[in-house]
Amino acid sequence: MLAYNTECIKYQKVMYSPLKKEGFVPESGSEIFVRNVPVLDSENDLFRFFKTAGEIFQIRLMMHEDGKHNRGFAYVTFMDPKGAQEAVEKLCDISYKNNHYLTIEHSLNNVRIFIGGIETTRTKDEIWQQLYKNGVKNIVDVIMYRSYTDRAENRGFVFVEFKTHEEAAYFRAKFAKSLMLWGSPVIVDWSVPIPPWIML
């Protein structure tokens, strides 16, 4: 068995295979989204349960700021899509602990974040620079749409694209309630509508 690494970072606990440091990235479709995780459970608890579906590449358990209680959901990535499919098809109907069942579904591989409430006179470069000043240095692109009525202005929102879903999820967890651009709070969310149970 591989010796897995564990990292505790703000808003999440991550357990991952040493293959991650070698640059290995599983195929698209290898990740599942898990909710209804008991708030005191750890990434080790999830590992023991999900390893029956296939070899695990990584587990990301989303945490509250106190670092002690999880937020009730996690992302589990297998080495290949076969493991993810096995988990979705079979583990939903198996008791996780004491007749407690997890909700398991394929993860949306979303790499885009919606940022709303931006001044309409701001340019793409200005927004990128503001995010950089906030310590966000792993952006792939900032996607902006021009106003219908004034092509010199934006529509008050942009989409920020990251390389991976993991990076986008971390950005959202960190800045969902705290991002300020030019001294004003902005809205940070996924670029597509998501179920209300994620909005914790």
Side-chain angles (χ1 to χ4, degrees):
M1 177 180 169
L2 294 173
Y4 283 74
N5 300 296
T6 301
E7 290 185 7
C8 299
I9 57 179
K10 195 171 184 180
Y11 303 110
Q12 58 185 309
K13 287 187 177 178
V14 184
M15 172 186 280
Y16 58 91
S17 163
L19 293 176
K20 183 175 181 177
K21 291 188 175 180
E22 297 176 12
F24 176 77
V25 178
E27 294 177 50
S28 177
S30 299
E31 184 178 81
I32 59 172
F33 178 69
V34 183
R35 55 190 171 98
N36 296 332
V37 179
V39 295
L40 293 177
D41 276 15
S42 70
E43 66 280 6
N44 290 301
D45 295 312
L46 293 173
F47 183 89
R48 284 190 289 270
F49 183 71
F50 283 103
K51 70 179 182 179
T52 61
E55 189 175 357
I56 293 173
F57 173 71
Q58 176 176 262
I59 294 176
R60 291 186 294 122
L61 180 61
M62 309 311 288
M63 306 296 294
H64 285 289
E65 289 188 28
D66 63 9
K68 298 177 182 178
H69 301 87
N70 72 62
R71 297 176 63 193
F73 65 96
Y75 297 90
V76 179
T77 307
F78 292 88
M79 291 292 184
D80 53 51
K82 183 179 178 181
Q85 188 64 35
E86 185 82 3
V88 169
E89 290 181 354
K90 296 184 178 180
L91 296 186
C92 283
D93 298 323
I94 295 177
S95 173
Y96 170 65
K97 280 184 177 181
N98 303 319
N99 292 319
H100 180 91
Y101 293 84
L102 301 174
T103 301
I104 305 167
E105 56 198 42
H106 287 289
S107 174
L108 293 174
N109 190 29
N110 196 351
V111 296
R112 286 186 182 178
I113 294 290
F114 169 87
I115 299 181
I118 293 172
E119 297 174 15
T120 58
T121 56
R122 297 296 180 178
T123 66
K124 173 178 176 175
D125 286 342
E126 286 176 324
I127 294 166
W128 201 316
Q129 290 169 10
Q130 277 288 299
L131 291 169
Y132 190 87
K133 288 178 181 177
N134 276 274
V136 186
K137 301 177 181 180
N138 55 345
I139 296 171
V140 172
D141 196 10
V142 173
I143 302 164
M144 174 183 286
Y145 294 98
R146 293 296 175 185
S147 169
Y148 292 114
T149 57
D150 187 343
R151 303 301 290 174
E153 296 186 346
N154 68 67
R155 299 185 197 174
F157 65 87
V158 295
F159 296 104
V160 178
E161 187 168 300
F162 294 86
K163 184 177 180 180
T164 66
H165 173 72
E166 183 177 354
E167 290 177 343
Y170 176 76
F171 176 88
R172 179 183 176 275
K174 182 177 181 181
F175 291 110
K177 298 178 181 179
S178 64
L179 185 61
M180 303 280 286
L181 298 181
W182 297 282
S184 299
V186 293
I187 300 166
V188 175
D189 208 339
W190 290 112
S191 64
V192 293
I194 59 175
W197 33 259
I198 291 186
M199 301 298 290
L200 303 173

